[in-house]
Coordinates of all heavy atoms in Angstrom, one line a residue:
D34 N 3.7 8.4 3.6 CA 3.5 9.7 4.2 C 3.5 9.6 5.7 O 4.0 10.5 6.4 CB 2.3 10.4 3.7 CG 2.3 10.8 2.2 OD1 3.5 10.7 1.6 OD2 1.3 11.1 1.6
S35 N 3.0 8.6 6.3 CA 3.0 8.4 7.7 C 4.5 8.3 8.2 O 4.8 8.8 9.3 CB 2.3 7.1 8.1 OG 0.9 7.2 7.8
F36 N 5.3 7.6 7.4 CA 6.7 7.4 7.8 C 7.4 8.8 8.0 O 8.4 8.8 8.8 CB 7.4 6.6 6.8 CG 8.8 6.1 7.2 CD1 9.0 5.1 8.1 CD2 9.9 6.8 6.7 CE1 10.2 4.7 8.6 CE2 11.2 6.4 7.2 CZ 11.3 5.4 8.1
E37 N 7.0 9.8 7.3 CA 7.6 11.1 7.4 C 7.5 11.7 8.8 O 8.2 12.6 9.2 CB 7.1 12.1 6.4 CG 7.4 11.7 5.0 CD 8.8 11.6 4.6 OE1 9.6 12.6 5.1 OE2 9.3 10.7 4.0
Y38 N 6.5 11.1 9.6 CA 6.2 11.6 10.9 C 6.9 10.7 12.0 O 6.7 11.0 13.2 CB 4.7 11.7 11.2 CG 4.1 12.9 10.4 CD1 3.9 12.8 9.0 CD2 3.8 14.1 11.0 CE1 3.3 13.8 8.3 CE2 3.3 15.2 10.3 CZ 3.0 15.0 9.0 OH 2.5 16.1 8.2
F39 N 7.6 9.7 11.6 CA 8.3 8.9 12.6 C 9.6 9.6 13.0 O 10.0 10.5 12.4 CB 8.7 7.6 11.9 CG 7.6 6.6 11.8 CD1 6.4 6.9 11.4 CD2 7.9 5.2 12.0 CE1 5.3 6.0 11.2 CE2 6.9 4.3 11.8 CZ 5.6 4.7 11.4
D40 N 10.1 9.2 14.2 CA 11.3 9.8 14.7 C 12.5 9.4 13.8 O 12.9 8.3 13.7 CB 11.5 9.2 16.1 CG 12.7 9.8 16.8 OD1 13.5 10.5 16.1 OD2 12.9 9.5 18.0
G41 N 13.0 10.4 13.1 CA 14.0 10.2 12.2 C 15.3 9.8 12.8 O 16.2 9.2 12.0
D42 N 15.5 9.9 14.1 CA 16.7 9.4 14.7 C 16.6 7.9 15.0 O 17.6 7.3 15.3 CB 16.9 10.2 16.0 CG 17.3 11.6 15.8 OD1 17.9 11.9 14.7 OD2 17.0 12.5 16.6
R43 N 15.4 7.4 15.0 CA 15.2 6.0 15.3 C 14.8 5.1 14.2 O 15.0 3.9 14.2 CB 14.1 5.9 16.4 CG 14.5 6.5 17.7 CD 13.5 6.3 18.8 NE 13.2 4.8 19.0 CZ 12.0 4.3 19.0 NH1 11.0 5.0 18.8 NH2 11.9 3.0 19.2
Y44 N 14.2 5.7 13.1 CA 13.7 4.9 12.0 C 14.3 5.2 10.7 O 14.5 6.4 10.4 CB 12.1 5.1 11.9 CG 11.4 4.5 13.0 CD1 11.2 5.2 14.2 CD2 10.8 3.2 13.0 CE1 10.5 4.7 15.3 CE2 10.1 2.7 14.0 CZ 9.9 3.5 15.2 OH 9.2 2.9 16.3
A45 N 14.7 4.2 9.9 CA 15.3 4.5 8.6 C 14.5 3.6 7.6 O 14.2 2.5 7.8 CB 16.8 4.0 8.6
L46 N 14.3 4.3 6.4 CA 13.6 3.6 5.4 C 14.5 2.7 4.5 O 15.5 3.3 4.0 CB 12.9 4.6 4.5 CG 12.0 4.0 3.3 CD1 10.8 3.2 3.9 CD2 11.5 5.1 2.4
S47 N 14.3 1.4 4.5 CA 15.2 0.6 3.7 C 14.7 0.2 2.4 O 15.5 -0.1 1.4 CB 15.5 -0.7 4.5 OG 14.3 -1.5 4.7
A48 N 13.3 0.2 2.2 CA 12.8 -0.2 0.9 C 11.3 0.3 0.9 O 10.6 0.3 1.9 CB 12.9 -1.7 0.6
Y49 N 10.8 0.5 -0.3 CA 9.4 0.9 -0.5 C 8.9 0.2 -1.8 O 9.4 0.5 -2.9 CB 9.4 2.4 -0.7 CG 8.0 3.0 -1.0 CD1 6.8 2.4 -0.5 CD2 7.9 4.2 -1.7 CE1 5.6 3.0 -0.8 CE2 6.6 4.8 -1.9 CZ 5.5 4.2 -1.5 OH 4.3 4.8 -1.7
V50 N 7.9 -0.6 -1.6 CA 7.3 -1.3 -2.7 C 5.8 -0.8 -2.8 O 5.1 -0.9 -1.9 CB 7.3 -2.9 -2.5 CG1 6.5 -3.5 -3.6 CG2 8.7 -3.4 -2.5
A51 N 5.5 -0.2 -4.0 CA 4.2 0.4 -4.1 C 3.5 -0.1 -5.4 O 4.2 -0.7 -6.2 CB 4.4 2.0 -4.3
R52 N 2.2 0.2 -5.5 CA 1.4 -0.2 -6.6 C 1.5 -1.6 -7.0 O 1.6 -2.0 -8.2 CB 1.9 0.7 -7.8 CG 1.8 2.2 -7.6 CD 0.3 2.7 -7.7 NE 0.3 4.1 -7.9 CZ 0.1 5.0 -7.0 NH1 0.0 4.7 -5.8 NH2 0.1 6.3 -7.4
Q53 N 1.5 -2.5 -6.1 CA 1.6 -3.9 -6.3 C 0.5 -4.7 -5.5 O 0.8 -4.9 -4.3 CB 3.0 -4.5 -6.1 CG 3.2 -5.9 -6.6 CD 4.7 -6.3 -6.6 OE1 5.0 -7.5 -6.7 NE2 5.6 -5.3 -6.6
S54 N -0.6 -5.0 -6.1 CA -1.6 -5.7 -5.4 C -1.1 -7.1 -4.9 O -0.2 -7.7 -5.6 CB -2.8 -5.9 -6.3 OG -3.7 -6.9 -5.8
L55 N -1.6 -7.6 -3.8 CA -1.1 -8.9 -3.4 C -1.5 -9.9 -4.5 O -0.8 -10.9 -4.7 CB -1.8 -9.3 -2.1 CG -1.1 -8.9 -0.8 CD1 -1.9 -9.2 0.4 CD2 0.3 -9.5 -0.7
I56 N -2.6 -9.7 -5.2 CA -3.0 -10.7 -6.2 C -2.0 -10.7 -7.3 O -1.6 -11.8 -7.8 CB -4.4 -10.3 -6.8 CG1 -5.4 -10.3 -5.7 CG2 -4.8 -11.2 -7.9 CD1 -6.8 -9.7 -6.2
S57 N -1.4 -9.6 -7.7 CA -0.3 -9.5 -8.7 C 1.0 -10.1 -8.1 O 1.7 -10.8 -8.8 CB -0.1 -8.1 -9.2 OG 0.9 -8.0 -10.1
A58 N 1.3 -9.7 -6.9 CA 2.5 -10.1 -6.2 C 2.7 -11.6 -6.1 O 3.8 -12.2 -6.2 CB 2.7 -9.5 -4.9
F59 N 1.5 -12.3 -5.9 CA 1.6 -13.8 -5.8 C 0.9 -14.5 -6.9 O 0.5 -15.6 -6.8 CB 1.0 -14.1 -4.4 CG 1.9 -13.7 -3.3 CD1 1.7 -12.5 -2.7 CD2 2.9 -14.5 -2.9 CE1 2.6 -12.1 -1.6 CE2 3.7 -14.1 -1.8 CZ 3.6 -12.9 -1.2
G60 N 0.7 -13.8 -8.0 CA 0.2 -14.4 -9.2 C 1.3 -14.6 -10.3 O 2.5 -14.3 -10.0
K61 N 0.9 -15.0 -11.4 CA 1.9 -15.2 -12.5 C 2.3 -13.9 -13.1 O 1.5 -12.9 -13.1 CB 1.2 -16.0 -13.6 CG 2.1 -16.3 -14.8 CD 1.4 -17.1 -15.9 CE 2.3 -17.4 -17.1 NZ 1.6 -18.2 -18.1
A62 N 3.6 -13.7 -13.4 CA 4.1 -12.5 -14.0 C 3.3 -12.1 -15.2 O 2.9 -13.0 -16.0 CB 5.6 -12.6 -14.3
G63 N 3.0 -10.9 -15.4 CA 2.1 -10.4 -16.5 C 2.9 -9.6 -17.5 O 4.1 -9.5 -17.5
D64 N 2.1 -9.1 -18.5 CA 2.6 -8.3 -19.6 C 2.0 -6.9 -19.5 O 0.8 -6.8 -19.6 CB 2.3 -9.0 -20.9 CG 2.7 -8.2 -22.1 OD1 3.4 -7.2 -22.0 OD2 2.3 -8.5 -23.2
P65 N 2.9 -5.8 -19.4 CA 2.3 -4.5 -19.3 C 1.6 -4.1 -20.6 O 0.6 -3.4 -20.6 CB 3.5 -3.6 -19.0 CG 4.6 -4.4 -19.5 CD 4.3 -5.8 -19.3
G66 N 2.1 -4.6 -21.7 CA 1.4 -4.4 -23.0 C 1.4 -3.0 -23.5 O 0.8 -2.6 -24.5
V67 N 2.2 -2.1 -22.8 CA 2.3 -0.7 -23.1 C 3.8 -0.3 -23.1 O 4.6 -1.0 -22.6 CB 1.4 0.2 -22.2 CG1 0.0 -0.1 -22.4 CG2 1.9 0.1 -20.8
D68 N 4.1 0.9 -23.6 CA 5.4 1.4 -23.7 C 5.8 2.1 -22.4 O 5.4 3.2 -22.1 CB 5.6 2.3 -24.9 CG 7.0 2.8 -25.1 OD1 7.9 2.4 -24.3 OD2 7.2 3.6 -26.0
L69 N 6.5 1.4 -21.5 CA 6.9 2.0 -20.2 C 7.9 3.1 -20.3 O 8.0 3.9 -19.4 CB 7.4 0.9 -19.3 CG 6.4 -0.2 -18.9 CD1 7.1 -1.2 -17.9 CD2 5.1 0.3 -18.4
S70 N 8.5 3.3 -21.5 CA 9.4 4.4 -21.6 C 8.7 5.7 -21.7 O 9.3 6.8 -21.5 CB 10.2 4.2 -22.9 OG 9.4 4.4 -24.1
K71 N 7.4 5.7 -21.8 CA 6.6 6.9 -21.8 C 6.5 7.5 -20.4 O 6.1 8.6 -20.2 CB 5.1 6.6 -22.3 CG 5.1 6.1 -23.8 CD 5.5 7.2 -24.7 CE 5.4 6.7 -26.2 NZ 5.8 7.8 -27.1
L72 N 6.9 6.7 -19.4 CA 6.9 7.2 -18.0 C 8.3 7.9 -17.8 O 9.3 7.3 -18.0 CB 6.8 6.0 -17.0 CG 5.4 5.3 -17.0 CD1 5.5 4.1 -16.1 CD2 4.3 6.2 -16.6
T73 N 8.2 9.2 -17.5 CA 9.4 9.9 -17.4 C 10.2 9.7 -16.2 O 11.4 9.9 -16.1 CB 9.1 11.5 -17.5 OG1 8.2 11.8 -16.5 CG2 8.5 11.8 -18.9
S74 N 9.6 9.2 -15.1 CA 10.2 8.9 -13.9 C 10.8 7.5 -13.8 O 10.1 6.5 -14.0 CB 9.3 9.1 -12.7 OG 9.8 8.5 -11.5
P75 N 12.1 7.3 -13.6 CA 12.7 6.0 -13.5 C 12.0 5.2 -12.3 O 11.9 4.0 -12.4 CB 14.2 6.3 -13.2 CG 14.4 7.6 -13.8 CD 13.2 8.4 -13.6
F76 N 11.7 5.9 -11.3 CA 11.1 5.3 -10.1 C 9.7 4.7 -10.5 O 9.3 3.6 -10.2 CB 10.9 6.3 -9.0 CG 10.2 5.7 -7.8 CD1 10.9 4.8 -6.9 CD2 8.9 6.0 -7.4 CE1 10.3 4.3 -5.8 CE2 8.3 5.5 -6.3 CZ 9.0 4.6 -5.5
Q77 N 8.9 5.5 -11.3 CA 7.6 5.0 -11.7 C 7.8 3.8 -12.7 O 7.0 2.8 -12.6 CB 6.8 6.1 -12.4 CG 6.4 7.2 -11.4 CD 5.7 8.3 -12.1 OE1 5.9 8.6 -13.3 NE2 4.8 9.0 -11.3
R78 N 8.7 3.8 -13.6 CA 9.0 2.7 -14.4 C 9.3 1.5 -13.6 O 8.9 0.3 -13.9 CB 10.1 3.0 -15.4 CG 9.7 4.0 -16.5 CD 10.7 4.0 -17.7 NE 12.0 4.4 -17.3 CZ 12.4 5.6 -17.3 NH1 11.6 6.6 -17.6 NH2 13.7 5.9 -16.9
R79 N 10.2 1.7 -12.6 CA 10.6 0.5 -11.8 C 9.4 -0.1 -11.0 O 9.3 -1.4 -11.0 CB 11.7 0.9 -10.8 CG 12.1 -0.2 -9.9 CD 13.3 0.2 -9.0 NE 12.9 1.2 -8.0 CZ 12.2 1.0 -6.9 NH1 11.7 -0.3 -6.7 NH2 11.9 1.9 -6.0
I80 N 8.5 0.7 -10.5 CA 7.4 0.1 -9.7 C 6.5 -0.7 -10.6 O 5.9 -1.7 -10.2 CB 6.7 1.1 -8.9 CG1 6.0 2.1 -9.7 CG2 7.6 1.7 -7.8 CD1 5.1 3.1 -8.9
V81 N 6.3 -0.2 -11.9 CA 5.5 -1.0 -12.8 C 6.2 -2.3 -13.2 O 5.6 -3.4 -13.3 CB 5.1 -0.2 -14.1 CG1 4.4 -1.0 -15.1 CG2 4.3 1.0 -13.7
Q82 N 7.5 -2.2 -13.5 CA 8.3 -3.4 -13.9 C 8.3 -4.4 -12.7 O 8.2 -5.6 -13.0 CB 9.7 -2.9 -14.2 CG 9.8 -2.2 -15.5 CD 11.1 -1.4 -15.7 OE1 11.9 -1.3 -14.7 NE2 11.4 -1.0 -16.9
E83 N 8.4 -3.9 -11.5 CA 8.4 -4.9 -10.3 C 7.0 -5.5 -10.3 O 6.9 -6.7 -9.9 CB 8.7 -4.1 -9.0 CG 10.1 -3.9 -8.8 CD 10.4 -3.4 -7.4 OE1 9.4 -3.1 -6.7 OE2 11.6 -3.5 -6.9
D84 N 5.9 -4.8 -10.5 CA 4.6 -5.3 -10.4 C 4.4 -6.4 -11.5 O 3.9 -7.5 -11.2 CB 3.6 -4.2 -10.6 CG 2.2 -4.8 -10.7 OD1 1.7 -5.4 -9.7 OD2 1.5 -4.7 -11.7
V85 N 4.7 -6.1 -12.7 CA 4.4 -7.1 -13.8 C 5.3 -8.3 -13.6 O 4.9 -9.4 -14.1 CB 4.6 -6.4 -15.2 CG1 3.6 -5.3 -15.4 CG2 6.0 -6.0 -15.5
A86 N 6.4 -8.2 -12.9 CA 7.3 -9.3 -12.7 C 6.9 -10.0 -11.4 O 7.6 -11.0 -11.0 CB 8.7 -8.8 -12.6
S87 N 5.9 -9.6 -10.7 CA 5.5 -10.1 -9.4 C 6.7 -10.1 -8.5 O 7.0 -11.1 -7.9 CB 4.9 -11.6 -9.6 OG 3.8 -11.6 -10.5
G88 N 7.2 -8.9 -8.3 CA 8.5 -8.8 -7.7 C 8.6 -8.7 -6.2 O 9.7 -8.6 -5.6
L89 N 7.4 -8.6 -5.5 CA 7.4 -8.3 -4.0 C 8.2 -9.4 -3.3 O 9.1 -9.0 -2.4 CB 6.0 -8.2 -3.5 CG 5.9 -8.2 -2.0 CD1 6.5 -6.9 -1.4 CD2 4.4 -8.3 -1.6
S90 N 8.0 -10.6 -3.5 CA 8.6 -11.7 -2.8 C 10.2 -11.6 -2.9 O 10.9 -11.7 -1.9 CB 8.2 -13.1 -3.2 OG 6.8 -13.2 -3.0
A91 N 10.6 -11.4 -4.1 CA 12.1 -11.4 -4.3 C 12.7 -10.2 -3.6 O 13.8 -10.2 -3.0 CB 12.4 -11.3 -5.8
R92 N 12.0 -9.0 -3.7 CA 12.5 -7.8 -3.1 C 12.6 -8.0 -1.5 O 13.6 -7.6 -0.9 CB 11.6 -6.6 -3.4 CG 12.1 -5.3 -3.0 CD 12.9 -4.6 -4.0 NE 13.4 -3.3 -3.6 CZ 12.7 -2.2 -3.8 NH1 11.5 -2.2 -4.3 NH2 13.2 -1.1 -3.4
L93 N 11.6 -8.6 -1.0 CA 11.5 -8.8 0.5 C 12.6 -9.8 0.9 O 13.2 -9.7 1.9 CB 10.2 -9.2 1.0 CG 10.0 -9.3 2.5 CD1 10.3 -8.0 3.2 CD2 8.5 -9.7 2.8
R94 N 12.7 -10.9 0.2 CA 13.7 -11.9 0.5 C 15.1 -11.3 0.5 O 15.9 -11.6 1.4 CB 13.7 -13.1 -0.5 CG 12.5 -14.0 -0.3 CD 12.6 -15.2 -1.3 NE 11.4 -16.0 -1.3 CZ 11.2 -16.9 -0.3 NH1 12.1 -17.2 0.6 NH2 10.1 -17.6 -0.3
A95 N 15.4 -10.4 -0.5 CA 16.7 -9.8 -0.5 C 17.0 -8.9 0.7 O 18.1 -8.7 1.0 CB 16.8 -9.0 -1.8
K96 N 15.9 -8.4 1.2 CA 16.1 -7.4 2.3 C 15.8 -8.0 3.7 O 16.0 -7.3 4.7 CB 15.1 -6.2 2.1 CG 15.5 -5.3 1.0 CD 16.6 -4.3 1.5 CE 16.8 -3.2 0.4 NZ 17.9 -2.3 0.9
A97 N 15.3 -9.2 3.8 CA 14.7 -9.7 5.0 C 15.6 -9.6 6.2 O 15.1 -9.3 7.3 CB 14.3 -11.2 4.8
R98 N 16.9 -9.9 6.1 CA 17.8 -9.8 7.2 C 18.0 -8.4 7.7 O 18.6 -8.2 8.8 CB 19.1 -10.5 6.9 CG 18.9 -12.0 6.7 CD 20.2 -12.7 6.5 NE 20.1 -14.2 6.4 CZ 21.1 -15.0 6.2 NH1 22.3 -14.6 6.2 NH2 20.8 -16.3 6.1
Q99 N 17.6 -7.4 6.9 CA 17.8 -6.0 7.3 C 16.5 -5.3 7.6 O 16.4 -4.1 7.4 CB 18.6 -5.3 6.2 CG 20.1 -5.7 6.0 CD 20.2 -6.9 5.1 OE1 19.5 -7.1 4.1 NE2 21.0 -7.9 5.6
V100 N 15.5 -6.1 7.9 CA 14.2 -5.5 8.2 C 13.8 -5.7 9.7 O 13.7 -6.8 10.2 CB 13.1 -6.1 7.3 CG1 11.7 -5.6 7.7 CG2 13.3 -5.9 5.8
D101 N 13.6 -4.6 10.3 CA 13.2 -4.6 11.7 C 11.7 -4.3 11.9 O 11.1 -4.7 12.9 CB 14.0 -3.5 12.5 CG 15.5 -3.7 12.4 OD1 15.9 -4.8 12.7 OD2 16.2 -2.7 12.0
L102 N 11.2 -3.6 10.9 CA 9.7 -3.3 10.9 C 9.2 -3.3 9.5 O 9.9 -2.8 8.6 CB 9.6 -1.9 11.5 CG 8.2 -1.2 11.4 CD1 7.2 -2.0 12.3 CD2 8.2 0.3 11.9
L103 N 8.0 -3.9 9.3 CA 7.4 -3.9 8.0 C 6.1 -3.2 8.1 O 5.2 -3.7 8.8 CB 7.3 -5.3 7.4 CG 6.9 -5.4 6.0 CD1 7.4 -6.8 5.4 CD2 5.4 -5.3 5.7
L104 N 5.9 -2.1 7.4 CA 4.6 -1.4 7.3 C 3.9 -1.8 6.1 O 4.4 -1.8 5.0 CB 4.8 0.1 7.3 CG 5.5 0.7 8.6 CD1 5.6 2.2 8.4 CD2 4.7 0.4 9.8
W105 N 2.6 -2.1 6.2 CA 1.8 -2.6 5.1 C 0.4 -1.9 5.2 O -0.1 -1.7 6.2 CB 1.6 -4.1 5.3 CG 0.6 -4.8 4.4 CD1 0.3 -4.5 3.1 CD2 -0.2 -6.0 4.8 NE1 -0.7 -5.4 2.7 CE2 -0.9 -6.3 3.7 CE3 -0.3 -6.8 6.0 CZ2 -1.8 -7.4 3.7 CZ3 -1.1 -7.8 6.0 CH2 -1.9 -8.2 4.8
D106 N -0.1 -1.4 4.0 CA -1.4 -0.9 4.0 C -2.1 -1.4 2.7 O -1.5 -1.9 1.8 CB -1.4 0.6 4.1 CG -1.0 1.3 2.8 OD1 -1.7 1.4 1.9 OD2 0.2 1.8 2.8
L107 N -3.4 -1.2 2.7 CA -4.2 -1.9 1.6 C -4.8 -0.9 0.6 O -5.6 -1.3 -0.3 CB -5.4 -2.6 2.2 CG -5.1 -3.6 3.4 CD1 -6.4 -4.3 3.8 CD2 -4.1 -4.6 2.9
V108 N -4.4 0.4 0.6 CA -5.0 1.4 -0.2 C -4.9 1.1 -1.7 O -5.8 1.4 -2.5 CB -4.5 2.8 0.2 CG1 -5.0 3.9 -0.8 CG2 -5.1 3.2 1.6
D109 N -3.7 0.6 -2.1 CA -3.5 0.4 -3.5 C -4.3 -0.8 -4.0 O -4.4 -1.0 -5.3 CB -2.0 0.2 -3.9 CG -1.3 1.6 -4.0 OD1 -2.0 2.6 -4.1 OD2 -0.1 1.6 -4.0
E110 N -4.9 -1.6 -3.1 CA -5.8 -2.7 -3.6 C -7.0 -2.1 -4.3 O -7.7 -2.8 -5.1 CB -6.2 -3.6 -2.4 CG -5.1 -4.3 -1.7 CD -4.4 -5.4 -2.6 OE1 -4.9 -5.7 -3.7 OE2 -3.3 -5.8 -2.2
R111 N -7.4 -0.9 -4.0 CA -8.5 -0.3 -4.6 C -8.4 -0.2 -6.2 O -9.4 -0.1 -6.9 CB -8.7 1.2 -4.1 CG -7.8 2.2 -4.8 CD -7.8 3.5 -4.1 NE -7.1 4.6 -4.8 CZ -5.8 4.7 -5.0 NH1 -5.0 3.8 -4.4 NH2 -5.2 5.6 -5.7
L112 N -7.2 -0.3 -6.7 CA -7.0 -0.2 -8.1 C -7.5 -1.4 -8.9 O -7.8 -1.2 -10.1 CB -5.5 0.0 -8.4 CG -4.8 1.2 -7.6 CD1 -3.3 1.1 -7.7 CD2 -5.3 2.5 -8.2
G113 N -7.6 -2.5 -8.3 CA -8.0 -3.7 -9.0 C -6.8 -4.3 -9.8 O -5.7 -3.7 -9.8
V114 N -7.0 -5.4 -10.5 CA -6.0 -6.0 -11.3 C -6.5 -6.5 -12.6 O -7.8 -6.7 -12.8 CB -5.4 -7.3 -10.6 CG1 -4.7 -6.9 -9.3 CG2 -6.5 -8.3 -10.3
Y115 N -5.6 -6.6 -13.6 CA -5.9 -7.2 -14.9 C -5.5 -8.7 -14.9 O -4.4 -9.0 -14.6 CB -5.2 -6.5 -16.0 CG -5.7 -5.1 -16.3 CD1 -4.8 -4.0 -16.0 CD2 -7.0 -4.8 -16.8 CE1 -5.3 -2.7 -16.3 CE2 -7.4 -3.5 -17.0 CZ -6.5 -2.4 -16.8 OH -6.9 -1.2 -17.0

Side-chain angles (χ1 to χ4, degrees):
D34 290 348
S35 296
F36 188 77
E37 295 299 317
Y38 288 79
F39 284 39
D40 182 349
D42 292 330
R43 295 184 58 229
Y44 292 83
L46 184 63
S47 63
Y49 177 30
V50 175
R52 301 286 201 263
Q53 192 169 159
S54 167
L55 273 177
I56 299 171
S57 177
F59 290 91
K61 181 181 177 180
D64 176 8
V67 297
D68 185 0
L69 297 182
S70 71
K71 298 295 184 180
L72 296 171
T73 57
S74 163
F76 179 74
Q77 291 179 333
R78 288 196 298 273
R79 179 175 65 76
I80 63 174
V81 176
Q82 289 164 347
E83 281 194 344
D84 173 65
V85 300
S87 303
L89 172 63
S90 295
R92 188 89 180 277
L93 186 57
R94 285 183 186 279
K96 287 281 187 180
R98 293 186 179 181
Q99 292 82 43
V100 175
D101 304 306
L102 171 66
L103 193 153
L104 297 180
W105 169 34
D106 73 77
L107 309 182
V108 169
D109 279 349
E110 297 294 349
R111 80 193 190 284
L112 303 167
V114 296
Y115 292 112

